[in-house]
Amino acid sequence: MSGSVLLAELIDALRCLPGVGAKSAQRMAFHVLERDRPGALRLADRLAAAVERIGNCRRCRSFSENELCSFCANPLRDKSVLCVVESPVDQSAVETATGFRGLYFVLLGRLSPLDGMGPRELGLDLLAERLRGGEVAELIVATNPTVEGEATAHLLSQLARDAGVRATRLAHGVPLGGELEFIDRGTLAHAFGSRQTLT
Amino acid sequence: MRVEDEPGWLLHARPYRETSLLLEGLSREHGRIGLVARGARREKTRQPRALLQPLVPLSLAWSGHGELVALTAVEARGQPPLLQGTALLCAMYVNELTLRLSPRHDAIPEVFDAYELALQRLADHPECAWTLRRYERDLLAETGYGLVCDSEADRGEPIDPAQDYIYIPEHGAVVYAGQANVLRLRGSALLALAADAMPDSEDLASLRRLMRALIGHQLGGGSLRSWSMLAGNLPAR
């Protein structure tokens, strides 16, 4: 180990990233110092700017450096369909996989009283206000198929019903390319229960 | 210590480190236990993620000593109760209540049985409130804070269904005598709880207030987070 205090601090700081332990952090630090100082400067600059300037969109709560995120500000997107997801990562997954052209609402969590996440923390008052606004015709509930996700979905469906908005839920079942033999019971039971007519 | 094939449920699961889960389990023979499921959040894992969540009947195996033990195997033990909508929210409340009131490593098989019965009742009956009151009653009784619902605390007289009473924590029911700021309820509510017979809606509501006060007292003046969730405090409702 070299005698540089700064280097030790850099290695320690890098460990705040997911998947980065002591060894990887050391490798990253040596890499940027030996081979890519401009890249490191750019990273430091963007990192500082992002942390400083990125907040939450006023309408959908997703990450955005402006008051409205690029989805909410885009006039071409369909305002009548609103997809509710748990996190910005889920939002990006839906966006890349589905060709969905509506708008999103990001809960930044899921209902979990033991973790201190209640309706207020999930911004449900903001969502209720939006549903009452009359622009939304369908609320797509895309929370995860976990216990907490289902409970959240229940609250969302109540909100939608109160506002007279149709609520739909993502289907869950057998993954494409999967084999029934290896699928857990719960998923299989669910898929079996919500089977569809072949046309 | 190694434990194999222990019937259990998970009360709570939360992410721990990069790929692990920190679990709070309830087992029949070992009481409430803290478990670590290492690597359970990896894409490929020996422990199926669908099982490692609350409200699924499980067969657990673990090894280790102390506050946290390592989960070594998990298997489904029958069909999960079909909990939807309000019943699901109530079941989450049951989990929080069980977690807060049952001490770790204190095996009370009766609590486990009452817990399973409560979940089954929530799945079977639309009347969740009565199921919750019965479970609260049983949980308090099994953890050593049972209510005396059929006789007065001071005189030992049988409870009169038409009389109004106040219930004092760790003391019992006393005839209501015009006191202010007390928890007042009809004798019929107390008798219903004692006889395990569903009361009318007014008594059911007063039992709910009673149970909250008793649980709050038990938690040293604290409250349960689920209360605010169940109280119908959805925005604009």
Side-chain angles (χ1 to χ4, degrees):
Chain A
M1 193 73 196
S2 82
S4 164
V5 177
L6 255 181
L7 181 59
E9 283 176 357
L10 172 62
I11 291 172
D12 192 49
L14 282 167
R15 292 185 60 186
C16 79
L17 293 168
V20 178
K23 196 83 186 165
S24 314
Q26 188 183 336
R27 219 170 60 232
M28 288 176 184
F30 282 126
H31 172 82
V32 295
L33 289 176
E34 282 174 33
R35 300 204 175 86
D36 198 3
R37 291 195 181 220
L41 276 181
R42 188 165 159 264
L43 174 67
D45 177 56
R46 290 299 86 197
L47 200 57
V51 171
E52 181 121 326
R53 299 211 327 252
I54 294 182
N56 295 97
C57 170
R58 188 166 52 84
R59 295 200 72 197
C60 73
R61 298 178 19 119
S62 187
F63 292 138
S64 169
E65 63 266 40
N66 300 316
E67 205 173 317
L68 286 184
C69 70
S70 56
F71 293 115
C72 292
N74 185 347
L76 296 176
R77 296 198 71 111
D78 185 355
K79 289 188 171 57
S80 67
V81 199
L82 189 63
C83 178
V84 185
V85 291
E86 288 181 14
S87 68
V89 185
D90 296 344
Q91 177 188 15
S92 126
V94 172
E95 181 66 17
T96 44
T98 62
F100 175 64
R101 297 296 299 157
L103 293 175
Y104 294 93
F105 188 86
V106 184
L107 298 169
L108 300 174
R110 72 208 78 171
L111 190 70
S112 176
L114 277 164
D115 299 310
M117 295 301 286
R120 190 171 309 128
E121 287 74 17
L122 299 178
L124 292 197
D125 39 359
L126 189 66
L127 181 64
E129 199 180 306
R130 187 146 166 200
L131 291 180
R132 279 197 306 271
E135 241 177 14
V136 181
E138 180 184 353
L139 185 76
I140 303 175
V141 179
T143 54
N144 290 326
T146 58
V147 167
E148 285 99 353
E150 290 298 334
T152 315
H154 172 64
L155 284 196
L156 292 171
S157 72
Q158 282 184 328
L159 280 189
R161 200 180 52 213
D162 288 355
V165 172
R166 186 167 87 100
T168 53
R169 179 93 174 95
L170 291 198
H172 16 232
V174 180
L176 295 181
E179 290 177 44
L180 299 193
E181 185 187 352
F182 298 112
I183 288 162
D184 71 278
R185 283 191 201 187
T187 307
L188 191 52
H190 214 293
F192 201 81
S194 48
R195 61 189 180 276
Q196 289 178 350
T197 311
L198 290 172
T199 48
Chain B
M1 187 176 68
R2 288 189 73 86
V3 177
E4 307 276 350
D5 294 333
E6 171 72 15
W9 296 78
L10 298 181
L11 301 175
H12 187 228
R14 69 184 162 92
Y16 174 63
R17 300 227 177 125
E18 303 238 327
T19 57
S20 303
L21 281 174
L22 208 51
L23 309 165
E24 204 61 58
L26 183 72
S27 69
R28 192 159 196 282
E29 304 301 330
H30 299 267
R32 185 160 73 79
I33 35 167
L35 298 150
V36 188
R38 287 191 213 289
R41 283 157 62 222
R42 286 208 189 99
E43 221 165 294
K44 286 185 181 160
T45 162
R46 284 183 302 114
Q47 298 159 345
R49 189 68 183 82
L51 291 181
L52 289 179
Q53 55 173 341
L55 308 177
V56 181
L58 299 172
S59 170
L60 301 168
W62 65 83
S63 70
H65 296 276
E67 276 293 286
L68 274 181
V69 293
L71 183 74
T72 50
V74 58
E75 270 180 65
R77 180 175 54 91
Q79 289 290 334
L82 194 65
L83 297 158
Q84 284 172 332
T86 312
L88 182 56
L89 297 184
C90 290
M92 289 172 90
Y93 164 69
V94 165
N95 279 353
E96 186 185 9
L97 183 70
T98 312
L99 205 159
R100 295 288 296 278
L101 282 191
S102 64
R104 264 195 187 168
H105 304 296
D106 191 358
I108 314 172
E110 290 81 5
V111 167
F112 185 83
D113 296 341
Y115 176 83
E116 291 206 324
L117 184 62
L119 291 192
Q120 201 50 55
R121 281 178 176 155
L122 284 176
D124 292 344
H125 305 293
E127 185 44 77
C128 293
W130 179 231
T131 298
L132 294 181
R133 299 300 87 78
R134 292 159 104 182
Y135 180 64
E136 288 162 346
R137 175 198 62 199
D138 295 342
L139 184 61
L140 283 172
E142 299 303 343
T143 49
Y145 306 99
L147 285 82
V148 182
C149 293
D150 50 3
S151 59
E152 283 179 38
D154 295 330
R155 300 185 294 163
E157 297 276 320
I159 294 284
D160 174 1
Q163 173 75 44
D164 276 6
Y165 291 89
I166 59 174
Y167 199 97
I168 304 168
E170 293 179 38
H171 186 70
V174 180
V175 173
Y176 172 69
Q179 301 96 323
N181 297 326
V182 289
L183 213 118
R184 178 178 159 192
L185 74 171
R186 278 200 314 225
S188 54
L190 289 169
L191 287 173
L193 203 58
D196 203 30
M198 187 169 148
D200 62 27
S201 59
E202 192 188 329
D203 279 349
L204 206 50
S206 62
L207 283 177
R208 176 168 148 260
R209 288 195 299 275
L210 170 70
M211 286 304 189
R212 283 202 178 184
L214 292 177
I215 293 163
H217 178 78
Q218 216 47 60
L219 297 172
S223 67
L224 295 178
R225 294 184 194 267
S226 308
W227 283 342
S228 60
M229 191 179 83
L230 286 173
N233 72 338
L234 278 175
R237 274 179 75 80

